[in-house]
Amino acid sequence: MKRNMRKDRTAAWPKHYSVAALLVMFSMLMSGCLYPKENEQAEQVSYRESVKRIQSAVDDFFKEQSILPILTAGEEVPRYEKFRVDLDKLHNMGYIDEIPKTAFEKGGSGYFLIINEDQDPTVKVMDLHTAQKVNDVQMSVNRYMTANEGQLPAEGELYPGFKSVDIAKTDMKKLQLKSVYSGQDATLMMDEKGKVYIDYAFDIMQAIQKDGTEPQTDMDLRAYLEKESYFVPVKSVPYVWKNQQPVPRMEK
């Protein structure tokens, strides 16, 4: 099984600065403002190491027990929220020495999941901050629809069958949601019934361009995000390749 690692990016340091500029930059550095993504990068490293450890434990468990260490979930649970790794079982049976601090079970912000469970069981992370914010928006959209005779708080059509969520019409005026893949502001969309999802088209396109392969017309393009990152595209719908771009479609 392949595991993907992200390359670190370093910025070139200019050769000359005025004394004033150096003082300003030193002040920013000390206040933590110079590198706003430093904590994010540290968290990514922590998740990378945690995924590697849990993947090894899952592989060993499956080899010896002939089953996967997962918590049961109903058929209605979406794929990228479904098969949570039973970390307590792995720990109690000695497959991991401790549960990672990045895990929800230890106060972290991620659920560790298994995807491709039938052919190639692979450990990934579901970001709980993302999932919770979408859930909060969903509740806000539901309240709006209740108060407005079923009307959607929509800005306009993003894709056939999907409309953009107009946050200004809801009671979540200060929502901030970043993509776990690109760090860009995430776009929220709704289907015709008001079910809220994240639009991952931008992230998928970036992953396709990086991969350099032409997508098959019948494949779910979220597979590119699975390959690119240790995060799953939670709160999403399948994407297909149409007119040289990723387009969402409703689950069957």
Side-chain angles (χ1 to χ4, degrees):
M1 290 177 280
K2 295 183 179 178
R3 307 285 171 254
N4 295 284
M5 306 287 284
R6 295 192 175 193
K7 296 181 180 179
D8 294 329
R9 298 178 180 177
T10 57
W13 188 262
K15 295 181 178 179
H16 302 288
Y17 287 105
S18 66
V19 174
L22 286 172
L23 289 175
V24 170
M25 294 187 70
F26 179 75
S27 175
M28 291 173 68
L29 177 61
M30 294 302 292
S31 65
C33 298
L34 186 58
Y35 299 113
K37 294 186 178 180
E38 189 175 72
N39 292 336
E40 177 185 341
Q41 291 172 346
E43 183 173 305
Q44 289 177 347
V45 171
S46 297
Y47 271 126
R48 183 183 299 122
E49 294 304 316
S50 298
V51 167
K52 289 171 63 178
R53 287 172 51 206
I54 296 175
Q55 182 69 60
S56 177
V58 167
D59 293 343
D60 290 343
F61 185 96
F62 183 70
K63 181 178 180 180
E64 296 174 11
Q65 308 295 332
S66 300
I67 58 173
L68 290 172
I70 55 178
L71 300 170
T72 57
E75 291 295 326
E76 74 284 356
V77 180
R79 178 186 179 209
Y80 293 119
E81 302 177 39
K82 192 168 189 176
F83 295 115
R84 284 179 54 193
V85 178
D86 191 340
L87 296 178
D88 286 327
K89 178 177 289 186
L90 290 179
H91 179 244
N92 293 337
M93 295 181 66
Y95 287 93
I96 52 175
D97 56 357
E98 62 179 358
I99 297 175
K101 295 181 180 179
T102 49
F104 171 79
E105 290 83 347
K106 284 294 183 178
S109 59
Y111 276 157
F112 288 89
L113 308 176
I114 292 177
I115 62 172
N116 303 327
E117 64 283 352
D118 292 329
Q119 298 179 341
D120 182 20
T122 304
V123 176
K124 296 289 183 180
V125 179
M126 180 183 112
D127 180 60
L128 291 175
H129 292 315
T130 299
Q132 184 58 55
K133 286 187 177 181
V134 175
N135 287 339
D136 291 343
V137 173
Q138 182 68 71
M139 290 188 292
S140 184
V141 167
N142 293 346
R143 289 192 291 269
Y144 181 93
M145 293 175 64
T146 299
N148 291 274
E149 300 180 347
Q151 183 179 352
L152 297 176
E155 286 186 292
E157 186 177 76
L158 281 177
Y159 310 95
F162 295 94
K163 298 180 181 295
S164 175
V165 179
D166 189 347
I167 295 297
K169 292 181 179 179
T170 71
D171 51 14
M172 295 194 65
K173 303 294 191 296
K174 296 182 180 180
L175 175 72
Q176 291 186 337
L177 179 59
K178 303 289 186 181
S179 165
V180 295
Y181 301 104
S182 65
Q184 302 292 322
D185 289 334
T187 298
L188 295 177
M189 61 186 186
M190 301 173 290
D191 62 21
E192 296 175 349
K193 295 182 180 180
K195 182 69 178 294
V196 179
Y197 306 94
I198 295 177
D199 181 11
Y200 286 101
F202 176 80
D203 302 301
I204 291 173
M205 180 60 85
Q206 281 195 323
I208 290 173
Q209 292 173 344
K210 182 176 180 180
D211 188 81
T213 60
E214 181 74 13
Q216 299 176 12
T217 55
D218 59 344
M219 73 177 294
D220 183 350
L221 300 180
R222 292 179 296 180
Y224 282 91
L225 296 181
E226 295 176 12
K227 181 179 179 181
E228 170 66 17
S229 173
Y230 37 82
F231 284 108
V232 295
V234 67
K235 303 298 182 182
S236 66
V237 293
Y239 283 76
V240 295
W241 192 241
K242 187 176 182 179
N243 298 325
Q244 297 299 303
Q245 62 182 350
V247 178
R249 63 171 173 80
M250 289 305 304
E251 298 260 21
K252 295 181 180 180

